[in-house]
Amino acid sequence: MVSLGGAAAVSRVRGDSPSGLASDDAAPLHVRVYPRPVPLWAWTRYGFDGVRADWPPPFRDALSAIEAAFGAILAYAHERSRLEGLEVTVERGDLVRLPLPSVADPSEAVVPSLETVLDGFRARLDERDALTGSTCHALLCWAPLNHRVGYGGTLSPNAWTGNVTGQPTDTGDSLTVANLGATELWDSRAVTRNMAIHEVLHTFLDTDVVEAVGDSSCDHDLGTAVRVDDETMRVSPMATAYAGPDEIGGGTRFHGTGCHDHDEFHRHDGLEGVENWTYTTELSEATLEAVTRYLETNIDR
């Protein structure tokens, strides 16, 4: 694979394979995953595995989880004779060092807001001439103490990938952040995988498809929380950080903002008696359908 816009060469499955994933830069849709620097103390958790490539195990697992999610989406679509001919490249991007925020508030230099992180990310992508019009750019951060970024997120006008009619978009590229330092320190590797998928899929779920599929304006409600026994709940990616009670340690260590009505979820089996939480990277049928509709509508192929 030729490097494009700071993309590192990564072996991927060709578009004519059952997964539908492509490894060439001609694919109409790219999901590019960029690492931010990881502090020295964090590297000690992983025995410095991946330090030379700026690619610790959580980042590596996040990329694999995102790739598998798109493989599942395309498999779902192809089984229904949809999205035929669409190719998706999921790849790693080069390390991103954000510029120091040029703001009057000194707290932004210490605990930058999500908006500041996304603005700095956008500035670096501009410098690399990496904005193509149909790429989701996902930044993997290590900021476990930054409550202003939380587990991550995205903001308008770069919240959706492609040509989304009636939505505030900029170039057609989307930018999103996944704070894997938070999931690794406060939760688990399973939550790390799910939140990486979660933050990327936000950029492929606009309000119209979410309402059409889920009868709700919140894309988190496309997720599921399914009991596997009387005390154990299994949570899918879009419900991660939202399926538990709105309290510290309710499922994930921290609950997301909004989306508190579990009756609106694609499936939620209730919280009574739940003591254990597990996480699956398997997407709910509602999520698969919603992303498929989004790609049919907003991505040229």
Side-chain angles (χ1 to χ4, degrees):
M1 182 191 306
V2 177
S3 179
L4 174 66
V10 179
S11 176
R12 287 290 175 262
V13 183
R14 288 285 173 180
D16 56 1
S17 74
S19 74
L21 295 176
S23 64
D24 61 277
D25 293 318
L29 176 61
H30 284 244
V31 178
R32 190 166 296 142
V33 181
Y34 304 78
R36 279 197 69 190
V38 174
L40 180 62
W41 68 264
W43 280 111
T44 63
R45 294 170 59 94
Y46 310 109
F48 295 93
D49 180 15
V51 67
R52 291 181 181 274
D54 300 305
W55 201 237
F59 290 11
R60 185 167 62 233
D61 285 356
L63 178 64
S64 295
I66 293 165
E67 183 184 14
F70 277 92
I73 292 161
L74 292 180
Y76 170 90
H78 293 167
E79 288 170 2
R80 293 157 178 77
S81 300
R82 298 162 68 184
L83 298 182
E84 294 178 345
L86 177 66
E87 292 186 343
V88 181
T89 294
V90 180
E91 61 196 354
R92 181 198 152 171
D94 289 339
L95 183 72
V96 171
R97 298 183 186 276
L98 298 182
L100 292 175
S102 56
V103 295
D105 183 357
S107 67
E108 285 286 355
V110 180
V111 186
S113 65
L114 179 61
E115 182 177 8
T116 296
V117 171
L118 287 168
D119 285 347
F121 187 27
R122 172 61 187 268
R124 291 303 190 219
L125 294 175
D126 274 333
E127 292 171 0
R128 297 179 183 186
D129 196 25
L131 301 174
T132 67
S134 62
T135 298
C136 168
H137 304 273
L139 184 64
L140 306 184
C141 288
W142 191 280
L145 302 180
N146 188 339
H147 64 281
R148 301 178 73 189
V149 169
Y151 285 126
T154 187
L155 296 170
S156 297
N158 301 116
W160 292 280
T161 310
N163 305 308
V164 185
T165 303
Q167 298 285 358
T169 59
D170 192 344
T171 65
D173 289 80
S174 63
L175 280 68
T176 188
V177 174
N179 186 356
L180 303 191
T183 58
E184 286 288 300
L185 184 63
W186 302 115
D187 297 291
S188 66
R189 184 61 53 84
V191 174
T192 288
R193 295 187 186 97
N194 271 25
M195 288 309 297
I197 296 169
H198 179 118
E199 301 300 357
V200 167
L201 290 191
H202 269 316
T203 74
F204 296 92
L205 292 167
D206 71 312
T207 304
D208 289 344
V209 297
V210 171
E211 290 182 340
V213 173
D215 197 26
S216 167
S217 61
C218 180
D219 53 2
H220 302 123
D221 292 341
L222 297 170
T224 55
V226 178
R227 285 180 184 264
V228 295
D229 59 43
D230 290 343
E231 297 182 343
T232 305
M233 188 80 82
R234 183 177 64 217
V235 182
S236 69
M238 290 313 299
T240 301
Y242 295 86
D246 185 11
E247 60 188 37
I248 298 294
T252 52
R253 179 65 64 92
F254 304 105
H255 194 283
T257 56
C259 303
H260 296 283
D261 188 354
H262 293 155
D263 290 338
E264 296 291 330
F265 277 48
H266 180 59
R267 176 176 172 180
H268 197 297
D269 290 346
L271 298 174
E272 185 177 357
V274 174
E275 299 288 342
N276 307 309
W277 297 84
T278 62
Y279 297 88
T280 175
T281 56
E282 183 176 348
L283 302 177
S284 70
E285 185 173 358
T287 302
L288 292 166
E289 176 62 25
V291 177
T292 296
R293 292 192 191 187
Y294 181 96
L295 295 174
E296 287 174 325
T297 304
N298 301 302
I299 302 299
D300 296 329
R301 58 187 189 277

